[in-house]
mmCIF file of all heavy atoms in Angstrom:
data_model
loop_
_atom_site.group_PDB
_atom_site.id
_atom_site.type_symbol
_atom_site.label_atom_id
_atom_site.label_comp_id
_atom_site.label_asym_id
_atom_site.label_seq_id
_atom_site.Cartn_x
_atom_site.Cartn_y
_atom_site.Cartn_z
ATOM 1 N N VAL O 1 58.517 -71.690 61.192
ATOM 2 C CA VAL O 1 58.557 -73.084 60.760
ATOM 3 C C VAL O 1 57.843 -73.951 61.790
ATOM 4 O O VAL O 1 58.063 -73.823 63.000
ATOM 5 C CB VAL O 1 60.009 -73.557 60.570
ATOM 6 C CG1 VAL O 1 60.044 -75.021 60.163
ATOM 7 C CG2 VAL O 1 60.720 -72.683 59.539
ATOM 8 N N SER O 2 56.981 -74.824 61.324
ATOM 9 C CA SER O 2 56.234 -75.709 62.207
ATOM 10 C C SER O 2 56.105 -77.082 61.529
ATOM 11 O O SER O 2 55.858 -77.157 60.319
ATOM 12 C CB SER O 2 54.842 -75.127 62.474
ATOM 13 O OG SER O 2 54.082 -75.979 63.305
ATOM 14 N N PRO O 3 56.289 -78.163 62.265
ATOM 15 C CA PRO O 3 56.590 -78.256 63.685
ATOM 16 C C PRO O 3 58.076 -77.996 63.965
ATOM 17 O O PRO O 3 58.871 -77.869 63.033
ATOM 18 C CB PRO O 3 56.220 -79.703 64.012
ATOM 19 C CG PRO O 3 56.528 -80.443 62.737
ATOM 20 C CD PRO O 3 56.138 -79.491 61.636
ATOM 21 N N ASP O 4 58.417 -77.929 65.235
ATOM 22 C CA ASP O 4 59.799 -77.641 65.622
ATOM 23 C C ASP O 4 60.584 -78.946 65.741
ATOM 24 O O ASP O 4 60.945 -79.394 66.831
ATOM 25 C CB ASP O 4 59.823 -76.860 66.931
ATOM 26 C CG ASP O 4 59.191 -75.492 66.774
ATOM 27 O OD1 ASP O 4 59.759 -74.673 66.051
ATOM 28 O OD2 ASP O 4 58.104 -75.260 67.344
ATOM 29 N N THR O 5 60.837 -79.531 64.577
ATOM 30 C CA THR O 5 61.554 -80.801 64.515
ATOM 31 C C THR O 5 62.786 -80.654 63.637
ATOM 32 O O THR O 5 62.870 -79.737 62.808
ATOM 33 C CB THR O 5 60.658 -81.900 63.929
ATOM 34 O OG1 THR O 5 60.298 -81.537 62.585
ATOM 35 C CG2 THR O 5 59.392 -82.085 64.760
ATOM 36 N N THR O 6 63.706 -81.570 63.802
ATOM 37 C CA THR O 6 64.907 -81.576 62.971
ATOM 38 C C THR O 6 64.528 -81.678 61.497
ATOM 39 O O THR O 6 65.064 -80.955 60.650
ATOM 40 C CB THR O 6 65.813 -82.749 63.373
ATOM 41 O OG1 THR O 6 66.128 -82.660 64.767
ATOM 42 C CG2 THR O 6 67.108 -82.739 62.580
ATOM 43 N N ALA O 7 63.589 -82.557 61.175
ATOM 44 C CA ALA O 7 63.191 -82.752 59.782
ATOM 45 C C ALA O 7 62.573 -81.491 59.192
ATOM 46 O O ALA O 7 62.857 -81.124 58.044
ATOM 47 C CB ALA O 7 62.211 -83.921 59.680
ATOM 48 N N ALA O 8 61.724 -80.793 59.953
ATOM 49 C CA ALA O 8 61.078 -79.585 59.447
ATOM 50 C C ALA O 8 62.094 -78.473 59.215
ATOM 51 O O ALA O 8 62.029 -77.749 58.213
ATOM 52 C CB ALA O 8 59.996 -79.120 60.418
ATOM 53 N N TYR O 9 63.047 -78.320 60.135
ATOM 54 C CA TYR O 9 64.073 -77.290 59.972
ATOM 55 C C TYR O 9 64.952 -77.588 58.753
ATOM 56 O O TYR O 9 65.321 -76.680 58.003
ATOM 57 C CB TYR O 9 64.940 -77.187 61.231
ATOM 58 C CG TYR O 9 64.251 -76.573 62.429
ATOM 59 C CD1 TYR O 9 62.894 -76.259 62.427
ATOM 60 C CD2 TYR O 9 64.961 -76.304 63.600
ATOM 61 C CE1 TYR O 9 62.275 -75.697 63.524
ATOM 62 C CE2 TYR O 9 64.353 -75.735 64.709
ATOM 63 C CZ TYR O 9 63.007 -75.441 64.683
ATOM 64 O OH TYR O 9 62.396 -74.886 65.775
ATOM 65 N N LYS O 10 65.268 -78.863 58.558
ATOM 66 C CA LYS O 10 66.063 -79.237 57.386
ATOM 67 C C LYS O 10 65.309 -78.922 56.096
ATOM 68 O O LYS O 10 65.898 -78.410 55.138
ATOM 69 C CB LYS O 10 66.404 -80.730 57.439
ATOM 70 C CG LYS O 10 67.475 -81.112 58.453
ATOM 71 C CD LYS O 10 67.633 -82.625 58.543
ATOM 72 C CE LYS O 10 67.962 -83.239 57.203
ATOM 73 N NZ LYS O 10 68.094 -84.709 57.276
ATOM 74 N N ALA O 11 64.015 -79.202 56.082
ATOM 75 C CA ALA O 11 63.217 -78.924 54.887
ATOM 76 C C ALA O 11 63.161 -77.424 54.609
ATOM 77 O O ALA O 11 63.283 -76.993 53.462
ATOM 78 C CB ALA O 11 61.805 -79.487 55.076
ATOM 79 N N ALA O 12 62.997 -76.622 55.649
ATOM 80 C CA ALA O 12 62.924 -75.173 55.474
ATOM 81 C C ALA O 12 64.241 -74.604 54.979
ATOM 82 O O ALA O 12 64.264 -73.631 54.214
ATOM 83 C CB ALA O 12 62.530 -74.510 56.798
ATOM 84 N N LEU O 13 65.344 -75.212 55.386
ATOM 85 C CA LEU O 13 66.661 -74.724 54.975
ATOM 86 C C LEU O 13 66.885 -74.831 53.466
ATOM 87 O O LEU O 13 67.744 -74.123 52.928
ATOM 88 C CB LEU O 13 67.768 -75.501 55.703
ATOM 89 C CG LEU O 13 68.169 -74.984 57.078
ATOM 90 C CD1 LEU O 13 69.078 -75.992 57.773
ATOM 91 C CD2 LEU O 13 68.867 -73.639 56.972
ATOM 92 N N GLN O 14 66.139 -75.656 52.785
ATOM 93 C CA GLN O 14 66.313 -75.781 51.343
ATOM 94 C C GLN O 14 65.953 -74.479 50.627
ATOM 95 O O GLN O 14 66.400 -74.240 49.502
ATOM 96 C CB GLN O 14 65.467 -76.927 50.781
ATOM 97 C CG GLN O 14 65.652 -78.259 51.492
ATOM 98 C CD GLN O 14 67.102 -78.693 51.608
ATOM 99 O OE1 GLN O 14 67.829 -78.700 50.620
ATOM 100 N NE2 GLN O 14 67.520 -79.059 52.813
ATOM 101 N N TYR O 15 65.169 -73.622 51.277
ATOM 102 C CA TYR O 15 64.736 -72.360 50.673
ATOM 103 C C TYR O 15 65.609 -71.176 51.089
ATOM 104 O O TYR O 15 65.580 -70.129 50.442
ATOM 105 C CB TYR O 15 63.280 -72.076 51.053
ATOM 106 C CG TYR O 15 62.323 -73.135 50.579
ATOM 107 C CD1 TYR O 15 62.000 -74.218 51.395
ATOM 108 C CD2 TYR O 15 61.759 -73.063 49.315
ATOM 109 C CE1 TYR O 15 61.121 -75.200 50.959
ATOM 110 C CE2 TYR O 15 60.879 -74.043 48.872
ATOM 111 C CZ TYR O 15 60.569 -75.116 49.705
ATOM 112 O OH TYR O 15 59.704 -76.084 49.260
ATOM 113 N N GLY O 16 66.337 -71.338 52.177
ATOM 114 C CA GLY O 16 67.190 -70.249 52.659
ATOM 115 C C GLY O 16 67.503 -70.437 54.125
ATOM 116 O O GLY O 16 66.886 -71.266 54.808
ATOM 117 N N PRO O 17 68.457 -69.678 54.663
ATOM 118 C CA PRO O 17 68.793 -69.768 56.086
ATOM 119 C C PRO O 17 67.612 -69.373 56.973
ATOM 120 O O PRO O 17 66.665 -68.712 56.520
ATOM 121 C CB PRO O 17 69.954 -68.778 56.236
ATOM 122 C CG PRO O 17 70.537 -68.677 54.868
ATOM 123 C CD PRO O 17 69.364 -68.791 53.932
ATOM 124 N N LEU O 18 67.681 -69.761 58.234
ATOM 125 C CA LEU O 18 66.613 -69.496 59.195
ATOM 126 C C LEU O 18 67.146 -68.682 60.371
ATOM 127 O O LEU O 18 68.311 -68.815 60.758
ATOM 128 C CB LEU O 18 66.031 -70.809 59.731
ATOM 129 C CG LEU O 18 65.610 -71.870 58.718
ATOM 130 C CD1 LEU O 18 65.122 -73.114 59.450
ATOM 131 C CD2 LEU O 18 64.541 -71.338 57.779
ATOM 132 N N ASP O 19 66.287 -67.871 60.942
ATOM 133 C CA ASP O 19 66.565 -67.177 62.198
ATOM 134 C C ASP O 19 66.058 -68.083 63.313
ATOM 135 O O ASP O 19 64.869 -68.414 63.359
ATOM 136 C CB ASP O 19 65.822 -65.833 62.195
ATOM 137 C CG ASP O 19 65.975 -65.042 63.491
ATOM 138 O OD1 ASP O 19 66.528 -65.575 64.474
ATOM 139 O OD2 ASP O 19 65.525 -63.884 63.528
ATOM 140 N N VAL O 20 66.945 -68.528 64.210
ATOM 141 C CA VAL O 20 66.546 -69.472 65.259
ATOM 142 C C VAL O 20 66.949 -68.960 66.637
ATOM 143 O O VAL O 20 67.914 -68.210 66.785
ATOM 144 C CB VAL O 20 67.156 -70.874 65.041
ATOM 145 C CG1 VAL O 20 66.660 -71.482 63.744
ATOM 146 C CG2 VAL O 20 68.676 -70.833 65.075
ATOM 147 N N ALA O 21 66.179 -69.393 67.632
ATOM 148 C CA ALA O 21 66.481 -69.091 69.033
ATOM 149 C C ALA O 21 67.084 -70.321 69.696
ATOM 150 O O ALA O 21 66.771 -71.464 69.328
ATOM 151 C CB ALA O 21 65.212 -68.670 69.771
ATOM 152 N N LEU O 22 67.946 -70.097 70.681
ATOM 153 C CA LEU O 22 68.540 -71.181 71.448
ATOM 154 C C LEU O 22 68.939 -70.662 72.828
ATOM 155 O O LEU O 22 68.839 -69.470 73.106
ATOM 156 C CB LEU O 22 69.748 -71.777 70.722
ATOM 157 C CG LEU O 22 70.884 -70.853 70.262
ATOM 158 C CD1 LEU O 22 71.824 -70.474 71.404
ATOM 159 C CD2 LEU O 22 71.685 -71.511 69.153
ATOM 160 N N ARG O 23 69.397 -71.571 73.671
ATOM 161 C CA ARG O 23 69.943 -71.175 74.967
ATOM 162 C C ARG O 23 71.458 -71.259 74.895
ATOM 163 O O ARG O 23 72.004 -72.302 74.549
ATOM 164 C CB ARG O 23 69.441 -72.066 76.092
ATOM 165 C CG ARG O 23 70.030 -71.676 77.464
ATOM 166 C CD ARG O 23 69.512 -72.550 78.589
ATOM 167 N NE ARG O 23 70.095 -72.178 79.872
ATOM 168 C CZ ARG O 23 69.676 -71.174 80.639
ATOM 169 N NH1 ARG O 23 68.658 -70.431 80.223
ATOM 170 N NH2 ARG O 23 70.253 -70.905 81.796
ATOM 171 N N ALA O 24 72.126 -70.176 75.222
ATOM 172 C CA ALA O 24 73.584 -70.147 75.275
ATOM 173 C C ALA O 24 74.014 -70.116 76.732
ATOM 174 O O ALA O 24 73.891 -69.084 77.390
ATOM 175 C CB ALA O 24 74.119 -68.928 74.537
ATOM 176 N N PRO O 25 74.504 -71.236 77.286
ATOM 177 C CA PRO O 25 75.101 -71.193 78.623
ATOM 178 C C PRO O 25 76.420 -70.434 78.565
ATOM 179 O O PRO O 25 76.900 -70.080 77.477
ATOM 180 C CB PRO O 25 75.318 -72.673 78.957
ATOM 181 C CG PRO O 25 74.525 -73.440 77.949
ATOM 182 C CD PRO O 25 74.489 -72.578 76.728
ATOM 183 N N ASP O 26 77.043 -70.203 79.708
ATOM 184 C CA ASP O 26 78.304 -69.457 79.636
ATOM 185 C C ASP O 26 79.475 -70.298 79.169
ATOM 186 O O ASP O 26 80.551 -69.758 78.904
ATOM 187 C CB ASP O 26 78.634 -68.694 80.928
ATOM 188 C CG ASP O 26 78.457 -69.480 82.206
ATOM 189 O OD1 ASP O 26 77.823 -70.547 82.185
ATOM 190 O OD2 ASP O 26 78.938 -69.016 83.256
ATOM 191 N N ASP O 27 79.305 -71.624 78.968
ATOM 192 C CA ASP O 27 80.376 -72.388 78.315
ATOM 193 C C ASP O 27 80.451 -72.071 76.825
ATOM 194 O O ASP O 27 81.484 -72.240 76.184
ATOM 195 C CB ASP O 27 80.217 -73.893 78.560
ATOM 196 C CG ASP O 27 78.959 -74.504 77.940
ATOM 197 O OD1 ASP O 27 78.159 -73.764 77.320
ATOM 198 O OD2 ASP O 27 78.758 -75.736 78.095
ATOM 199 N N TRP O 28 79.341 -71.577 76.252
ATOM 200 C CA TRP O 28 79.252 -71.225 74.823
ATOM 201 C C TRP O 28 80.288 -70.175 74.428
ATOM 202 O O TRP O 28 80.749 -70.133 73.292
ATOM 203 C CB TRP O 28 77.838 -70.722 74.573
ATOM 204 C CG TRP O 28 77.460 -70.140 73.256
ATOM 205 C CD1 TRP O 28 77.485 -68.827 72.904
ATOM 206 C CD2 TRP O 28 76.945 -70.833 72.107
ATOM 207 N NE1 TRP O 28 77.012 -68.645 71.629
ATOM 208 C CE2 TRP O 28 76.669 -69.867 71.115
ATOM 209 C CE3 TRP O 28 76.677 -72.177 71.834
ATOM 210 C CZ2 TRP O 28 76.148 -70.195 69.866
ATOM 211 C CZ3 TRP O 28 76.162 -72.494 70.595
ATOM 212 C CH2 TRP O 28 75.910 -71.527 69.620
ATOM 213 N N TYR O 29 80.689 -69.342 75.381
ATOM 214 C CA TYR O 29 81.630 -68.256 75.090
ATOM 215 C C TYR O 29 83.044 -68.765 74.827
ATOM 216 O O TYR O 29 83.878 -68.042 74.291
ATOM 217 C CB TYR O 29 81.638 -67.249 76.250
ATOM 218 C CG TYR O 29 80.345 -66.489 76.340
ATOM 219 C CD1 TYR O 29 79.206 -67.083 76.876
ATOM 220 C CD2 TYR O 29 80.235 -65.189 75.861
ATOM 221 C CE1 TYR O 29 78.000 -66.407 76.927
ATOM 222 C CE2 TYR O 29 79.037 -64.501 75.916
ATOM 223 C CZ TYR O 29 77.924 -65.118 76.443
ATOM 224 O OH TYR O 29 76.735 -64.448 76.478
ATOM 225 N N PHE O 30 83.307 -70.033 75.194
ATOM 226 C CA PHE O 30 84.624 -70.632 74.995
ATOM 227 C C PHE O 30 84.669 -71.540 73.772
ATOM 228 O O PHE O 30 85.687 -72.191 73.527
ATOM 229 C CB PHE O 30 85.018 -71.440 76.234
ATOM 230 C CG PHE O 30 85.212 -70.609 77.475
ATOM 231 C CD1 PHE O 30 84.140 -70.332 78.312
ATOM 232 C CD2 PHE O 30 86.454 -70.092 77.804
ATOM 233 C CE1 PHE O 30 84.312 -69.571 79.464
ATOM 234 C CE2 PHE O 30 86.639 -69.324 78.946
ATOM 235 C CZ PHE O 30 85.560 -69.058 79.776
ATOM 236 N N TYR O 31 83.600 -71.579 73.002
ATOM 237 C CA TYR O 31 83.536 -72.491 71.863
ATOM 238 C C TYR O 31 84.534 -72.087 70.777
ATOM 239 O O TYR O 31 84.558 -70.947 70.321
ATOM 240 C CB TYR O 31 82.126 -72.513 71.275
ATOM 241 C CG TYR O 31 82.026 -73.303 69.985
ATOM 242 C CD1 TYR O 31 81.902 -74.691 70.005
ATOM 243 C CD2 TYR O 31 82.093 -72.662 68.752
ATOM 244 C CE1 TYR O 31 81.834 -75.414 68.818
ATOM 245 C CE2 TYR O 31 82.017 -73.381 67.564
ATOM 246 C CZ TYR O 31 81.897 -74.754 67.605
ATOM 247 O OH TYR O 31 81.842 -75.463 66.427
ATOM 248 N N LYS O 32 85.338 -73.064 70.329
ATOM 249 C CA LYS O 32 86.312 -72.843 69.254
ATOM 250 C C LYS O 32 85.991 -73.682 68.014
ATOM 251 O O LYS O 32 86.060 -73.181 66.895
ATOM 252 C CB LYS O 32 87.727 -73.199 69.736
ATOM 253 C CG LYS O 32 88.269 -72.293 70.836
ATOM 254 C CD LYS O 32 88.648 -70.913 70.303
ATOM 255 C CE LYS O 32 89.880 -70.938 69.454
ATOM 256 N NZ LYS O 32 90.302 -69.571 69.031
ATOM 257 N N SER O 33 85.682 -74.941 68.210
ATOM 258 C CA SER O 33 85.419 -75.822 67.070
ATOM 259 C C SER O 33 84.751 -77.091 67.563
ATOM 260 O O SER O 33 84.589 -77.304 68.768
ATOM 261 C CB SER O 33 86.732 -76.163 66.341
ATOM 262 O OG SER O 33 87.609 -76.880 67.205
ATOM 263 N N GLY O 34 84.404 -77.976 66.612
ATOM 264 C CA GLY O 34 83.728 -79.217 66.957
ATOM 265 C C GLY O 34 82.223 -79.032 67.007
ATOM 266 O O GLY O 34 81.685 -78.009 66.576
ATOM 267 N N VAL O 35 81.522 -80.035 67.532
ATOM 268 C CA VAL O 35 80.063 -80.018 67.596
ATOM 269 C C VAL O 35 79.627 -79.667 69.007
ATOM 270 O O VAL O 35 79.727 -80.486 69.926
ATOM 271 C CB VAL O 35 79.473 -81.372 67.161
ATOM 272 C CG1 VAL O 35 77.954 -81.341 67.245
ATOM 273 C CG2 VAL O 35 79.916 -81.712 65.742
ATOM 274 N N TYR O 36 79.146 -78.460 69.167
ATOM 275 C CA TYR O 36 78.794 -77.963 70.494
ATOM 276 C C TYR O 36 77.558 -78.641 71.063
ATOM 277 O O TYR O 36 76.552 -78.817 70.379
ATOM 278 C CB TYR O 36 78.542 -76.450 70.452
ATOM 279 C CG TYR O 36 78.025 -75.904 71.770
ATOM 280 C CD1 TYR O 36 78.906 -75.574 72.800
ATOM 281 C CD2 TYR O 36 76.654 -75.762 71.988
ATOM 282 C CE1 TYR O 36 78.432 -75.105 74.010
ATOM 283 C CE2 TYR O 36 76.172 -75.293 73.203
ATOM 284 C CZ TYR O 36 77.067 -74.963 74.206
ATOM 285 O OH TYR O 36 76.597 -74.510 75.419
ATOM 286 N N SER O 37 77.656 -79.005 72.325
ATOM 287 C CA SER O 37 76.512 -79.354 73.163
ATOM 288 C C SER O 37 76.832 -78.807 74.543
ATOM 289 O O SER O 37 77.997 -78.787 74.948
ATOM 290 C CB SER O 37 76.287 -80.872 73.213
ATOM 291 O OG SER O 37 77.455 -81.532 73.691
ATOM 292 N N PRO O 38 75.858 -78.300 75.281
ATOM 293 C CA PRO O 38 76.153 -77.689 76.579
ATOM 294 C C PRO O 38 76.698 -78.710 77.564
ATOM 295 O O PRO O 38 76.179 -79.825 77.669
ATOM 296 C CB PRO O 38 74.797 -77.133 77.027
ATOM 297 C CG PRO O 38 73.785 -77.898 76.243
ATOM 298 C CD PRO O 38 74.425 -78.243 74.947
ATOM 299 N N VAL O 39 77.766 -78.332 78.271
ATOM 300 C CA VAL O 39 78.375 -79.252 79.231
ATOM 301 C C VAL O 39 78.402 -78.698 80.652
ATOM 302 O O VAL O 39 78.448 -79.461 81.619
ATOM 303 C CB VAL O 39 79.818 -79.627 78.811
ATOM 304 C CG1 VAL O 39 79.816 -80.418 77.510
ATOM 305 C CG2 VAL O 39 80.715 -78.401 78.700
ATOM 306 N N ILE O 40 78.362 -77.383 80.798
ATOM 307 C CA ILE O 40 78.441 -76.803 82.136
ATOM 308 C C ILE O 40 77.925 -75.375 82.109
ATOM 309 O O ILE O 40 78.039 -74.682 81.083
ATOM 310 C CB ILE O 40 79.894 -76.832 82.684
ATOM 311 C CG1 ILE O 40 79.931 -76.408 84.147
ATOM 312 C CG2 ILE O 40 80.823 -75.976 81.831
ATOM 313 C CD1 ILE O 40 81.298 -76.626 84.812
ATOM 314 N N GLU O 41 77.335 -74.978 83.215
ATOM 315 C CA GLU O 41 76.781 -73.639 83.339
ATOM 316 C C GLU O 41 77.007 -73.181 84.779
ATOM 317 O O GLU O 41 76.745 -73.921 85.721
ATOM 318 C CB GLU O 41 75.282 -73.673 83.005
ATOM 319 C CG GLU O 41 74.604 -72.338 82.992
ATOM 320 C CD GLU O 41 73.166 -72.460 82.485
ATOM 321 O OE1 GLU O 41 72.969 -72.853 81.322
ATOM 322 O OE2 GLU O 41 72.256 -72.170 83.277
#
């Protein structure tokens, strides 16, 4: 998907799920609920 923008990803999702890459800090392992954003590493 190009460009790598929120709008482009949303448009692509209308056709099906996407395989995406991200950075998972070690706080990610404690995620239970809510809207995740990295807070500590």
Side-chain angles (χ1 to χ4, degrees):
V1 178
S2 179
D4 295 294
T5 62
T6 303
Y9 289 7
K10 286 174 57 181
L13 274 170
Q14 308 308 310
Y15 299 91
L18 309 177
D19 177 352
V20 297
L22 53 79
R23 179 179 179 82
D26 46 346
D27 65 359
W28 173 267
Y29 291 77
F30 295 88
Y31 173 82
K32 294 287 288 185
S33 63
V35 180
Y36 174 84
S37 57
V39 295
I40 188 171
E41 185 173 297

